[in-house]
Amino acid sequence: MTASAVQELLPQITMDPSRCLGCRSCELACAVAHSTSGHLYGAISERPLPHRRIVVEQVGEVRSPVPCRHCEDAPCVSACVTGAMARDEPRGLVLCDGDKCIGCGMCMVACPFGAVWHPPETRRAQKCDFCLHLPSGPACVAACPTRALRLEQVSAAARRKRQAALARLLAGEWPAPAAPGAGLTGEGGA
């Protein structure tokens, strides 16, 4: 099965910038989920502080979380000289093996979404790992109070988008104004 076929079947983290409040709950939940203690009070006393693997960015009036897209033809994987960045084929995810990372930073430079970090304390690549260690799935999705982040199949996200466009059409709001942050969701389909 190809990586794209796997990605079509497995749920992905999708985002809707129109729902994002910029509260950064996703960032906090991510850092806590990747802390040694696994809870907020323990995480704030850890040194070094645990790092988030998702960032809320703002462009103009629009705020949106920017998670790793686990690209099919992932530039971070191609740029990695040690094989630390690799695709986990069964799950369709791009994961980083910190033990293989030499901290060269090429993955960070290659990522088109800026979704790879090299914390100064470790100088080793860190990125979204889909919270595979949590039975409930990605902590960022669970923490989002407005469901700007969702865990869903891409085809379901595309269907939701089509239904919203149809609703605007039926309400006489067509042509619909361009959605803030359009194109950031990774949702396919027309």
Side-chain angles (χ1 to χ4, degrees), residues 24 32 48 91 96 100 143 151 160 165:
R24 301 184 186 272
V32 170
R91 293 179 254 207
C96 178
K100 292 183 179 176
L151 187 63
R160 187 169 33 82

Side-chain angles (χ1 to χ4, degrees), residues 77-122:
V77 173
S78 299
C80 183
V81 295
T82 65
M85 288 285 181
R87 175 168 295 285
D88 177 79
E89 289 297 342
R91 293 179 254 207
L93 301 175
V94 174
L95 300 175
C96 178
D97 181 344
D99 292 336
K100 292 183 179 176
C101 179
I102 59 173
C104 69
M106 293 306 294
C107 54
M108 196 167 67
V109 172
C111 177
F113 298 101
V116 180
W117 293 269
H118 283 220
E121 301 88 5
T122 64

Side-chain angles (χ1 to χ4, degrees), residues 41-58:
Y41 295 114
I44 59 176
S45 64
E46 292 177 14
R47 296 295 176 266
L49 286 170
H51 285 270
R52 64 187 182 221
R53 294 158 189 213
I54 186 170
V55 173
V56 174
E57 290 290 348
Q58 181 170 356

Side-chain angles (χ1 to χ4, degrees), residues 11-43:
Q12 304 288 316
I13 297 174
T14 61
M15 56 194 176
D16 182 349
S18 69
R19 290 176 167 256
C20 181
L21 302 173
C23 68
R24 301 184 186 272
S25 294
C26 54
E27 293 180 359
L28 182 60
C30 178
V32 170
H34 292 90
S35 68
T36 302
S37 65
H39 57 82
L40 179 60
Y41 295 114

